[in-house]
Structure formats: C-alpha cells, structure tokens
Amino acid sequence: MFTGIIEEIGTLISIKKEGTNQIFEIESAISNELKVDQSVAHNGVCLTVTEVDKNKNRHFVTAIEETLQKTDLGNWAAGSKLNLERCMPANGRFDGHIVQGHVDQTATCVKIVDENGSWRFYFEYEDKGNFTVEKGSICTNGVSLTVVDSESGSETKKGSFSVAIIPYTYQHTNYHKLKVGDTINLEFDIVGKYMKLLFEKHMNKN
C-alpha cells in the first residue's frame, strides 16, 4: 500500500524486451536501498524490484503485457523522469490517501494554467465507469492530490477534472515535465469505488 507522497524522481536508463514483457532499468537516489521482491510505485504503477545494482544506484523492474496496456508505461523512453514511492511502513503516517498502485486507466493533460505561484492542470479521460468528485482524492502518476473541478462523462463520454499544484509538488515530482497532450496514470479513490459497487448492488436488488 502507498500514500501518494513521492519520495524521489528516478531516471529511466534503458528498456529491454523479454517476450511480451518489458524490463526497465531505473537510476535514483533510493535505488541502492531497495531489495529484490520489494514493491515500488513508478508513476503510480506498483512494480516488483527484480534486481538492484548498488554500485550504479540502479534497480530493475518488469512489466507484463496487461500492465503495459492499462498504463502509460508503453510511452516511457530512456531519459523519462519517474515518480517513485516505496510501500508505506507499518508505523508510517498517512500523509496522502490510500493508494494501491493499481492503475485504473490513463488520462490526457488538456490544459495547464500558470496561476502566479501555483499551477492548475486539467485532465480528460475516457468514461469507463470511474469518476472524480470535487474535494475528493485522486492519484495522478502516483501523486496524491485533491480534485478542484470535476465533470461527469455521462454526455461527452469523457470525464474531466483539474488539480492545483503548489511549487514544492511541481519541483519534487515529474509535474514540471508534464506538457499538454501528455498521458498520465490514474488511480481513483478506493473508497469511492467501493461505494459505487455497493450502490450498484443495492439498485440491482430493487
């Protein structure tokens, strides 16, 4: 389990194909502290560490075909900057919100507004039954954020929302690299997903 508070920004060094899987080599300040079999969120995607090169401060993770299809991992290239977060320790604090590292779908950045001290990022995503609510939580590329504006996808078949990014978050995540047209990973609030499921089951009984 994660909280959406980014520890470090890693740099993708190389990608190696192995059948339908892809092996990613990542360099970061925390790579030499990682252990094989440890779960680490990469842009919000929970991946298992398969190898650690302590001499180069690098670690390796493998993504299967299903993960590649449901996330933006297929867009990664050498030099890509990745938000990294290790699993929350048992005695840790919830500084963000409950994040599983299971990406629901991707979204596209459609607008960025400089608000003279912060930034407003606007995103659009395909309506697949997921949703956001104003003042609710959303995980974007592994970053726990609060939704500012939210619109349903009932008519347009697309949902949309915006988030406000303060300077610290802008500088210490890969948000400072994000451009209009870029794709990000979305994990919707797990509490909202359970509530939706319970509501649908209740309605079906009636």
Side-chain angles (χ1 to χ4, degrees):
M1 183 171 62
F2 307 93
T3 68
I5 304 300
I6 303 305
E7 288 188 74
E8 190 62 52
I9 299 177
T11 302
L12 182 58
I13 301 300
S14 67
I15 304 173
K16 178 183 176 182
K17 290 188 176 181
E18 192 173 80
T20 58
N21 300 335
Q22 289 192 17
I23 300 172
F24 299 95
E25 178 184 5
I26 298 134
E27 182 178 75
S28 76
I30 63 172
S31 291
N32 63 347
E33 301 175 20
L34 302 178
K35 297 179 181 179
V36 173
D37 287 337
Q38 186 172 358
S39 295
V40 179
H42 299 68
N43 273 7
V45 184
C46 179
L47 297 171
T48 301
V49 176
T50 58
E51 182 183 344
V52 176
D53 186 339
K54 293 182 180 293
N55 295 323
K56 294 183 178 180
N57 273 1
R58 295 179 183 179
H59 68 277
F60 298 77
V61 293
T62 300
I64 63 174
E65 181 66 19
E66 182 180 4
T67 303
L68 294 170
Q69 291 179 355
K70 290 185 176 180
T71 68
D72 75 336
L73 270 68
N75 297 329
W76 291 3
S80 292
K81 299 298 182 180
L82 309 176
N83 295 324
L84 303 179
E85 182 192 359
R86 286 174 282 192
C87 283
M88 178 183 173
N91 63 345
R93 299 176 57 130
F94 272 113
D95 292 322
H97 72 282
I98 297 174
V99 176
Q100 296 180 296
H102 302 157
V103 171
D104 294 300
Q105 61 183 95
T106 59
T108 302
C109 181
V110 294
K111 184 168 67 171
I112 303 172
V113 178
D114 187 333
E115 297 189 327
N116 192 26
S118 65
W119 293 262
R120 181 80 66 87
F121 284 76
Y122 294 80
F123 298 99
E124 194 172 77
Y125 58 92
E126 296 292 333
D127 181 7
K128 297 182 179 180
N130 297 309
F131 61 93
T132 59
V133 295
E134 292 182 12
K135 306 302 185 291
S137 297
I138 185 69
C139 187
T140 63
N141 267 0
V143 185
S144 173
L145 295 169
T146 300
V147 175
V148 178
D149 297 309
S150 174
E151 291 187 13
S152 169
S154 57
E155 294 182 2
T156 63
K157 301 301 181 183
K158 288 183 180 291
S160 63
F161 67 94
S162 68
V163 291
I165 303 297
I166 63 173
Y168 182 89
T169 304
Y170 187 81
Q171 296 165 7
H172 290 83
T173 70
N174 59 13
Y175 258 94
H176 65 276
K177 294 286 187 179
L178 198 62
K179 306 181 300 298
V180 170
D182 285 351
T183 301
I184 64 163
N185 296 315
L186 289 183
E187 181 181 334
F188 295 85
D189 186 10
I190 185 64
V191 177
K193 287 189 279 189
Y194 275 120
M195 292 293 290
K196 178 176 180 287
L197 179 61
L198 290 172
F199 177 77
E200 289 174 345
K201 285 187 174 182
H202 176 73
M203 293 300 292
N204 289 336
K205 288 181 179 180
N206 298 330

